[in-house]
Amino acid sequence: MLAGLTVVFAILTWALLQRVYQFIPAVPWTAIPTVLLLALGEAHTGWMTRARIRRKPGTKPVEPLAVARLVALAKASAYGGAVFAGVFAGFAFYAAGLLDQDTPRRDFFIAGGSFLGCVALVCAALYLEHCCRVPEDPDAAPDRRG
């Protein structure tokens, strides 16, 4: 689903840029560190939440409502990251055809870096969502499916 969303937005962005590229401002480089910081924050939150859910020594138990909110954050970040990854991929694909010019070459590298940052955000969001799962009860009856 997320990959499909990325592809659709990449195609839409590429098609839109065919007509409006010369009229829009340059891609801001600030997207790269911003998205990477978001990814780092979500990955760290996932790591800490997982430790709290598993009640590791030195951690406080986590409130169930807080975990539900983190799952909502993770889902929203995954979808938002996929959409923006598609936008930056479309931008990079369009600019790749114009690498002999200075501004499109700059846009290509910034959009490519932003795309990689968005991929990192999606991965961190999926990790956070995974970390919010309730661990299996070791005392529960085994699954009989074989």
Side-chain angles (χ1 to χ4, degrees):
M1 177 70 179
L2 295 174
L5 199 59
T6 301
V7 169
V8 166
F9 273 88
I11 292 169
L12 290 174
T13 301
W14 178 81
L16 180 64
L17 288 175
Q18 299 289 327
R19 296 187 184 272
V20 299
Y21 182 75
Q22 63 271 17
F23 303 115
I24 60 174
V27 178
W29 65 269
T30 54
I32 299 170
T34 302
V35 176
L36 287 176
L37 283 173
L38 287 170
L40 183 64
E42 287 202 24
H44 178 71
T45 302
W47 181 65
M48 293 301 298
T49 302
R50 185 175 188 157
R52 291 178 68 187
I53 287 174
R54 293 182 176 192
R55 300 182 185 214
K56 301 269 180 168
T59 62
K60 294 187 293 186
V62 65
E63 293 290 327
L65 185 58
V67 175
R69 288 177 178 157
L70 288 174
V71 170
L73 171 69
K75 286 198 174 290
S77 296
Y79 281 101
V83 167
F84 281 105
V87 169
F88 287 122
F91 223 104
F93 284 133
Y94 180 79
L98 304 169
L99 289 178
D100 55 336
Q101 302 170 24
D102 288 337
T103 302
R105 183 174 37 252
R106 179 184 175 278
D107 287 345
F108 171 78
F109 287 114
I110 292 173
S114 298
F115 168 76
L116 294 175
C118 287
V119 170
L121 177 61
V122 170
C123 292
L126 293 174
Y127 175 70
L128 174 59
E129 186 178 351
H130 173 75
C131 289
C132 290
R133 293 183 184 191
V134 177
E136 293 183 25
D137 186 9
D139 298 333
D143 191 8
R144 297 179 189 260
R145 285 184 267 172

